Amino acid sequence: MRNQNFRALMVSSTSGVLGNAVAAVALPIIAAVELDASNFEVAALAGMTFLPWLLFGLVIGVWVDRLPRKPVMLASLAVRVIVLALLPVGYWLGFLSTPLLFGAAFVAGITSVFFQLADAALVQQAITPDELMEGNGLITGSGAAADAAGRSAAGWLTSAAGASNTLVVQLATSIVSLVAIQRLDVAEVVQPQSDRRVLREMYEGLRYTFSTAPLRAILFNAALWNLGGNIAASLIVLLVLRTLGESEVWLGLLLAAASVGGAVGGVTANWMGERFGSGPLWRWSMVPGVFGYASLLIITPGWGMAWGILGMFAMGASVAWNIVVGSSFRQRVCPPGMMGRLGAASRTVSWGMLALASLLAGIFAETLGIREAILIGVVIACTAPLVALLGPLRGVRRLEDLVEAPAADSRLGASKST
């Protein structure tokens, strides 16, 4: 925390998460309540911010490695402010529509790809390798706390002021992020300019992502979790507002519970990693998360929502532990000039699943029913901890010990089918 650059990145990340949390609640409510969109449209909307990872993540990763990261982050934030400002303006002037909502979410997702890849690369350069677990834990914890505040406040604000008007909060937090990033003073490590083709550099990023057993296991674990978990997460708005007939306030509390769990998980991840080992923490982290999403299947109106709040708290803590360990390991092993491409390749696979999950959630909700679709998501999410518990990292106590072990892949018995 004495590191000025780390403080700037933490303030930027936390304020950005606060605004994104408000938008994450407001956007589907705009679709469901103000625009009366179908179940498919409400569920699919959640995937629009992640679809750019699937379509453009690899090529943007190459650009981020070729460019200074600070200007990339400033430009992406500026574009995001302009795009999201169209939604409340459209509501006030009467031209807000479902296509505009989807288009704004998609463009905002593109800016998020640029911002998050550049941000991850700068965190790696702002602190030492031994500080990565603690630093990522602090960023994850503060971000989760901001997420909890944003989601709970958004539930009340959308009910009191309208979902579209609530987006003004997101615009204000983006400006705070801009100011924080402007204060960064990092001697950046940027890939030297070359005549190599973009496709070749994209391939290098993919090859590096799948090059070792630890990187592959972390990637497959995240991808399976995102596919199953986001099917359930994409349907929470429909479950609360349409199936249970509850208010936006209960919706905000349910979503905030996951973020409070994430805050607890983020600030305890470093201690738990030292106490139990980063390997066991990563392997078991998703088990409580599965039960957390399963709690959505038993919630009922009124105080029956409490089961969901407890379950989502457990899910949030699980995800935070998993993210801190996995992202810290990637940042520890990856050369600075490769960080953008590694982040792009891994998130293209894992976060691309978030976009696919939202589309599947919409299809399942329309054809099978909302609760049945959530059940499918929970079953798929169960495969994520199985990859961790039964995969090549099942006997590793400290993932950090694999960093300097070039022969780790062969010792762990890795194979292409892992």
Side-chain angles (χ1 to χ4, degrees):
M1 293 300 297
R2 291 190 295 269
N3 184 325
Q4 176 182 335
N5 289 317
F6 178 78
R7 288 200 309 272
L9 289 169
M10 185 171 173
V11 169
S12 170
S13 175
T14 303
S15 58
V17 169
L18 176 63
N20 290 340
V22 172
V25 176
L27 289 177
I29 293 178
I30 292 172
V33 177
E34 295 181 356
L35 298 175
D36 195 26
S38 68
N39 288 349
F40 173 79
E41 290 171 329
V42 174
L45 177 63
M48 286 300 101
T49 55
F50 296 105
L51 186 58
W53 286 100
L54 198 59
L55 300 178
F56 311 121
L58 290 174
V59 66
I60 291 176
V62 174
W63 290 339
V64 167
D65 276 342
R66 291 181 172 186
L67 299 171
R69 278 66 175 233
K70 179 179 174 179
V72 169
M73 297 171 74
L74 292 173
S76 63
L77 283 169
V79 173
R80 185 180 183 86
V81 168
I82 294 171
V83 169
L84 290 181
L86 289 174
L87 298 180
V89 171
Y91 177 73
W92 300 332
L93 300 182
F95 63 83
L96 181 63
S97 64
T98 301
L100 176 61
L101 188 63
F102 272 69
F106 182 76
V107 175
I110 295 176
T111 66
S112 180
V113 176
F114 278 101
F115 182 90
Q116 294 194 43
L117 291 178
D119 179 69
L122 283 180
V123 169
Q124 182 202 43
Q125 298 174 43
I127 56 180
T128 67
D130 290 337
E131 294 173 330
L132 285 172
M133 275 283 286
E134 185 174 4
N136 283 313
L138 287 171
I139 289 177
T140 301
S142 65
D147 197 62
R151 290 176 186 271
S152 56
W156 176 79
L157 285 171
T158 54
S159 179
S164 293
N165 293 328
T166 303
L167 289 176
V168 174
V169 176
Q170 204 279 340
L171 300 178
T173 58
S174 294
I175 294 173
V176 173
S177 290
L178 270 169
V179 174
I181 294 300
Q182 185 62 46
R183 298 185 62 186
L184 275 174
D185 184 21
V186 177
E188 296 192 43
V189 178
V190 181
Q191 179 186 353
Q193 294 295 324
S194 69
D195 295 329
R196 290 189 301 170
R197 296 185 177 183
V198 171
L199 287 177
R200 178 167 180 79
E201 295 192 34
M202 289 166 57
Y203 169 74
E204 288 177 355
L206 275 174
R207 184 178 63 181
Y208 188 85
T209 302
F210 290 91
S211 62
T212 67
L215 290 175
R216 288 197 296 271
I218 290 171
L219 177 62
F220 293 146
N221 170 262
L224 290 170
W225 175 259
N226 287 343
L227 178 61
N230 205 48
I231 289 177
S234 297
L235 297 170
I236 291 178
V237 171
L238 294 173
L239 177 68
V240 174
L241 299 184
R242 292 185 176 176
T243 301
L244 300 179
E246 279 293 352
S247 69
E248 292 92 338
V249 175
W250 272 112
L251 174 63
L253 290 174
L254 191 66
L255 296 174
S259 303
V260 172
V264 173
V267 298
T268 59
N270 188 57
W271 175 82
M272 293 188 68
E274 292 179 349
R275 175 67 177 82
F276 302 106
S278 57
L281 177 60
W282 176 78
R283 288 194 295 275
W284 289 95
S285 60
M286 288 306 189
V287 174
V290 171
F291 288 102
Y293 273 132
S295 71
L296 297 174
L297 299 171
I298 62 173
I299 60 176
T300 56
W303 288 106
M305 297 287 290
W307 293 109
I309 290 175
L310 291 173
M312 295 303 285
F313 174 87
M315 186 278 298
S318 294
V319 171
W321 292 326
N322 187 276
I323 288 175
V324 170
V325 176
S327 60
S328 298
F329 179 79
R330 287 195 188 101
Q331 290 169 338
R332 184 181 282 265
V333 301
C334 184
M338 177 70 76
M339 195 64 207
R341 283 170 288 168
L342 172 63
S346 60
R347 292 179 183 181
T348 293
V349 177
S350 62
W351 287 17
M353 292 298 102
L354 296 172
L356 178 60
S358 296
L359 296 175
L360 291 175
I363 294 171
F364 294 151
E366 289 282 0
T367 58
L368 301 175
I370 294 173
R371 287 189 184 273
E372 291 78 4
I374 292 175
L375 176 59
I376 293 174
V378 171
V379 172
I380 295 174
C382 288
T383 61
L386 291 178
V387 167
L389 292 169
L390 304 178
L393 300 183
R394 59 185 176 273
V396 178
R397 177 171 173 77
R398 283 170 45 89
L399 295 183
E400 305 91 287
D401 294 340
L402 303 178
V403 174
E404 301 299 334
D409 204 25
S410 59
R411 289 204 316 269
L412 292 167
S415 66
K416 290 185 178 180
S417 62
T418 300

